[in-house]
Amino acid sequence: YTQSLLLYAYQASASALTEALQAHGHKAIRPKHGAVFANIDRWGTRPSILAERAGIGKAAMGELIDELEGLGYVRREADPSDRRAKLVVATDAALEVTDIVHEFNRHMEAQYRELVGEEAYRTLRAALRAIAPRDEMQPRLPPNP
């Protein structure tokens, strides 16, 4: 089934990414943390927005934020637009993780192109976009200059 193939492809990619992060000293980062890293804005994001973007509950997102805050990857700050609200802000360590992920993704994209050929690669990308349309397909924290 296609669902199984998509799952297996994701699992292989997530495992390889975890290994790459560990090789760069980020031994505590797991695939589940991508729910935060992939959805946080450079200037910070409210936890409720992170949960909505990730498609998970606020409590589950809160646990991920607590874990990443304890590990030094994010911090909570007052939202300047509403003192009652908090923003989750990426630390330098999180930005380093993001840079590693971007480099990993560039490498994986090149491997996919080599494995299946340019035409099949473009067809695959188009098919995946049709199956999983999202406006937020790009990571929110661009690589550091």
Side-chain angles (χ1 to χ4, degrees):
Y1 293 105
T2 302
Q3 294 290 64
S4 296
L5 293 173
L6 290 169
L7 175 63
Y8 300 152
Y10 166 75
Q11 288 172 333
S13 175
S15 177
L17 176 56
T18 299
E19 288 176 17
L21 289 167
Q22 289 179 353
H24 284 89
H26 298 280
K27 298 186 185 308
I29 299 299
R30 299 290 175 261
K32 67 181 181 176
H33 296 131
V36 175
F37 286 112
N39 293 298
I40 194 169
D41 298 307
R42 180 164 295 283
W43 54 88
T45 310
R46 289 185 182 179
S48 59
I49 300 297
L50 287 172
E52 181 181 321
R53 287 176 180 169
I56 64 174
K58 291 178 185 177
M61 179 56 72
E63 289 178 23
L64 290 174
I65 293 167
D66 288 345
E67 193 172 323
L68 289 171
E69 186 172 37
L71 293 167
Y73 289 98
V74 298
R75 66 181 178 275
R76 288 178 171 96
E77 295 181 359
D79 184 339
S81 68
D82 181 351
R83 289 185 168 184
R84 298 168 295 168
K86 294 288 185 189
L87 291 177
V88 178
V89 179
T91 65
D92 288 343
L95 297 176
E96 182 178 314
V97 166
T98 302
D99 288 344
I100 293 165
V101 170
H102 282 279
E103 181 58 33
F104 174 86
N105 287 340
R106 282 189 290 274
H107 176 73
M108 289 302 297
E109 295 291 320
Q111 281 189 324
Y112 296 154
R113 281 185 167 95
E114 186 176 319
L115 182 65
V116 301
E118 188 63 33
E119 186 176 339
Y121 172 79
R122 288 184 188 176
T123 301
L124 171 65
R125 296 267 310 176
L128 291 172
R129 281 195 178 115
I131 292 169
R134 281 189 69 173
D135 291 335
E136 304 88 22
M137 291 182 68
Q138 297 299 316
R140 296 184 175 280
L141 292 174
N144 290 333

